[in-house]
Amino acid sequence: MTSRPAPGVPDEAPPKTAAVPATPAGPPDPDTSAANADPDGMQPLIGDTVGERHRLSRRVIAYWRWRWLISLIPTLLLFAALAIVIPWGEWWMRWSLFTVLAVVGIAALVVLPPIRFRVFWYAISPTEIDIQHGIVFIKRSVIPMHRVQSLRVERGPIADHYRMATLRISTAADTLSVSGLGRPEADAVCTRIAELADVADDV
């Protein structure tokens, strides 16, 4: 005895397929591309654009060396006086320590300023001041323009000899110094920041 399917019912149901709408070819949506490139929606800093970075003149290396040498001499004189006045250990031990300190200090004068020169740059936009600085540990400081409270340009005898100046940027929390700017550049940067931040500069 054989069974026969009920009338109107097929032996095997045909596979179901979902209709997929066709996507027209064309360039990607710029808004979608931007969202994919930066999911957090953060704007790049002005210093991220290499063309906006400003570097110092190479004359600043000699300027920094003279400044550090003037700071080093009193320290070496102090250690020499301690080696003479305080009778600790053998005389050769005291003066060996003094010699080591002197050699390390002079080596730092030779090696560190060129490293500092290569690391340093600054960039300014209407909304922020972006500065990279340091020697062993490299720091990047970004100061929102609206947080700038005061500006000051300082010049000493050595800076006058090299026609350089130091720009000090003060906020409510801290003060950042930019040392080794050319005198005209320091005045121009100070004036520009003062105009963008709406503060008075103290030159």
Side-chain angles (χ1 to χ4, degrees):
M1 181 175 182
T2 59
S3 61
R4 298 171 59 186
V9 179
D11 293 338
E12 183 178 357
K16 297 181 180 180
T17 58
V20 179
T23 303
D29 186 359
D31 295 335
T32 304
S33 300
N36 293 335
D38 192 357
D40 296 333
M42 297 178 62
Q43 295 296 326
L45 300 173
I46 184 65
D48 294 334
T49 304
V50 178
E52 296 292 337
R53 298 177 182 178
H54 300 274
R55 296 191 175 271
L56 303 176
S57 169
R58 291 195 65 89
R59 293 184 297 116
V60 75
I61 296 177
Y63 167 63
W64 284 337
R65 281 174 175 163
W66 277 106
R67 284 189 57 183
W68 290 3
L69 178 61
I70 291 176
S71 300
L72 178 64
I73 288 176
T75 303
L76 293 179
L77 292 177
L78 176 61
F79 275 99
L82 292 176
I84 294 172
V85 174
I86 300 178
W88 59 272
E90 298 293 336
W91 66 269
W92 59 268
M93 184 183 299
R94 299 196 299 267
W95 289 107
S96 295
L97 179 60
F98 171 79
T99 303
V100 170
L101 293 174
V103 170
V104 170
I106 294 174
L109 285 176
V110 175
V111 175
L112 297 184
I115 298 176
R116 182 182 179 185
F117 168 77
R118 288 194 296 270
V119 167
F120 181 86
W121 54 259
Y122 73 92
I124 300 174
S125 75
T127 58
E128 66 202 14
I129 306 166
D130 193 356
I131 301 175
Q132 179 175 282
H133 54 104
I135 299 176
V136 178
F137 300 99
I138 300 176
K139 305 174 185 178
R140 187 170 177 182
S141 303
V142 179
I143 303 175
M145 198 63 70
H146 67 274
R147 293 185 179 273
V148 177
Q149 293 187 344
S150 66
L151 302 165
R152 186 167 67 251
V153 176
E154 298 177 350
R155 296 186 291 266
I158 302 178
D160 280 338
H161 175 74
Y162 287 96
R163 297 191 58 79
M164 290 184 174
T166 297
L167 175 62
R168 300 194 184 277
I169 306 170
S170 299
T171 64
D174 199 4
T175 298
L176 184 64
S177 298
V178 181
S179 173
L181 294 170
R183 189 179 299 175
E185 182 182 10
D187 294 338
V189 171
C190 186
T191 301
R192 183 184 179 193
I193 296 176
E195 292 174 350
L196 293 173
D198 194 21
V199 298
D201 59 306
D202 184 10
V203 182

